[in-house]
Amino acid sequence: MVRQSAAAVARVGTHVQISKPAIAAVAASIRASHAARLVGPAAWDTRVHFRDTLRPELTLRYCLVLDALNFCFWPEPGLEYEHLATGLKACLEADPQVLSDDSLAGATPAMVQRLFGRECPVPLADERARFLAEIPKGLRRHGGQVTGLVAAAQQSAAALVDLVVEAFPGFRDQAVYRGRQVFFYKRAQIFVADVWGAFGGGGPGAFHDVQRLTMFADYRVPAQLRTMGILHYATALAEAVDAGRELPAGGEAEVEIRAATVEAVELMRGALAPSLPGITSVTLDWWLWEAGEAGKDAQSPHHRTLVPYY
Ligand SMILES: Nc1nc2c(c(CN[C@H]3C=C[C@H](O)[C@@H]3O)cn2[C@@H]2O[C@H](COP(=O)(O)O)[C@@H](O)[C@H]2O)c(=O)[nH]1
């Protein structure tokens, strides 16, 4: 659904164009230099992320809460994803009960602030609290355990995305473009990828169909693809983005940016698959995201849309 609906938008879009020659050039440079990193789950950086190999339920709960809150850091200058990951890790190590069903059911904006472990105000803290409170409710059908939710997918990454979207309304990241539904499911897909990464492709993360996931339509990778010359914004859109003007959520420009990003990564993966058979859009995403994070101060700004999906 994500791949097909994004491709349909990319085909007719007028605000954003994909450059196929630029994709071929980047694919050639990746083939030459980064091939090894693009096959198999990335190492789960335990300096940033929580992991307790003796307590898979706690590790899975960390991933679900992490990706329930993994969006929209940009309104607070200096706040970023890493602060969420490390803040959550510190809270969990201090008190494993902090993410219990009782604790999450009563989540407040003040609790969200504590989970981030930052002085600065967390944007959309009330929405984030509401997403935390959804978790116990959605887990009830899976025995109250994230382990039960993951097991219900029977080692299918695609099935787990569907189960997450079904169980938790906050993960239903979709839009309407010229009358038709467009699916992104960025946080649901990144949750599945984080389970894959946290368990190194084994145990609860032993999915047989990771290649069915797409990249995660956030706000960092489109900016990276634009820097690489892979995405081109029409003049009016380029001016708005470069001036830091917000794009309305669900507007044509915002949906085209996200859809073209998904489609561009699918085209890149298609260009690389013959020489890198195990490549997935997930590992390509992680490579592009880390390049985007590393280069963000030198790049033109990312687009700004106030939305609780990415
Ligand atoms: N496409 C994609 N977007 C990602 C991630 C991640 C987390 N990646 C780590 C998790 C496991 C691996 O170890 C990765 O290293 C965060 N984001 C999104 O970036 C955005 C910018 O955030 P910032 O610059 O801080 O404000 C924000 O929307 C955030 O939700 C990713 O992997 N791919």
Side-chain angles (χ1 to χ4, degrees):
M1 280 152 66
V2 177
R3 193 171 285 109
Q4 282 152 18
S5 59
V9 170
R11 261 195 299 278
V12 300
T14 57
H15 304 282
V16 182
Q17 299 298 328
I18 296 172
S19 161
K20 298 214 165 128
I23 286 181
V26 171
S29 76
I30 287 176
R31 206 177 286 120
S33 52
H34 300 272
R37 293 188 47 199
L38 292 168
V39 177
W44 186 246
D45 182 349
T46 50
R47 287 169 305 164
V48 172
H49 293 109
F50 175 84
R51 173 169 61 197
D52 182 337
T53 44
L54 302 177
R55 302 172 80 171
E57 172 61 21
L58 213 50
T59 304
L60 289 169
R61 197 164 273 256
Y62 168 81
C63 291
L64 183 61
V65 168
L66 175 70
D67 289 314
L69 303 178
N70 182 6
F71 61 87
C72 203
F73 305 105
W74 57 263
E76 182 56 36
L79 184 67
E80 36 183 66
Y81 165 79
E82 220 176 278
H83 300 142
L84 165 62
T86 49
L88 209 45
K89 174 179 188 290
C91 287
L92 205 46
E93 285 168 346
D95 170 15
Q97 287 311 310
V98 72
L99 299 187
S100 70
D101 280 0
D102 290 347
S103 173
L104 295 177
T108 61
M111 173 181 164
V112 169
Q113 203 63 52
R114 281 196 307 278
L115 291 178
F116 270 75
R118 305 281 297 173
E119 289 311 308
C120 65
V122 173
L124 298 173
D126 50 345
E127 272 300 79
R128 294 184 214 260
R130 195 168 61 77
F131 290 168
L132 292 181
E134 280 180 353
I135 290 177
K137 258 187 277 178
L139 287 178
R140 230 171 268 145
R141 72 195 77 180
H142 298 294
Q145 300 278 304
V146 187
T147 316
L149 165 72
V150 174
Q154 297 181 319
Q155 298 191 296
S156 163
L160 186 51
V161 172
D162 288 341
L163 287 168
V164 168
V165 166
E166 188 186 290
F168 314 109
F171 281 88
R172 292 173 193 162
D173 170 12
Q174 51 201 59
V176 174
Y177 181 85
R178 298 187 190 169
R180 296 164 180 83
Q181 274 191 304
V182 188
F183 304 92
F184 293 111
Y185 293 157
K186 178 254 180 187
R187 294 196 283 104
Q189 292 198 84
I190 207 168
F191 163 68
V192 177
D194 282 347
V195 170
W196 187 50
F199 291 88
F207 302 116
H208 56 74
D209 60 345
V210 175
Q211 76 286 353
R212 290 185 63 196
L213 299 182
T214 69
M215 66 78 60
F216 319 121
D218 71 318
Y219 53 81
R220 180 67 57 209
V221 174
Q224 176 62 21
L225 294 176
R226 191 173 170 223
T227 300
M228 290 170 147
I230 287 177
L231 291 189
H232 290 276
Y233 294 177
T235 311
L237 175 57
E239 280 168 3
V241 170
D242 293 344
R245 288 202 297 275
E246 281 188 38
L247 303 181
E252 281 205 359
E254 186 231 1
V255 176
E256 285 187 28
I257 288 175
R258 300 186 78 195
T261 298
V262 171
E263 175 63 4
V265 174
E266 289 306 300
L267 292 172
M268 280 173 83
R269 187 181 62 165
L272 287 166
S275 53
L276 281 170
I279 191 167
T280 62
S281 297
V282 173
T283 50
L284 208 41
D285 171 280
W286 279 340
W287 183 77
L288 289 164
W289 184 78
E290 274 154 17
E293 282 295 296
K296 65 184 167 185
D297 301 331
Q299 286 175 0
S300 49
H302 61 70
H303 76 281
R304 298 158 76 104
T305 296
L306 193 69
V307 68
Y309 294 138
Y310 64 96

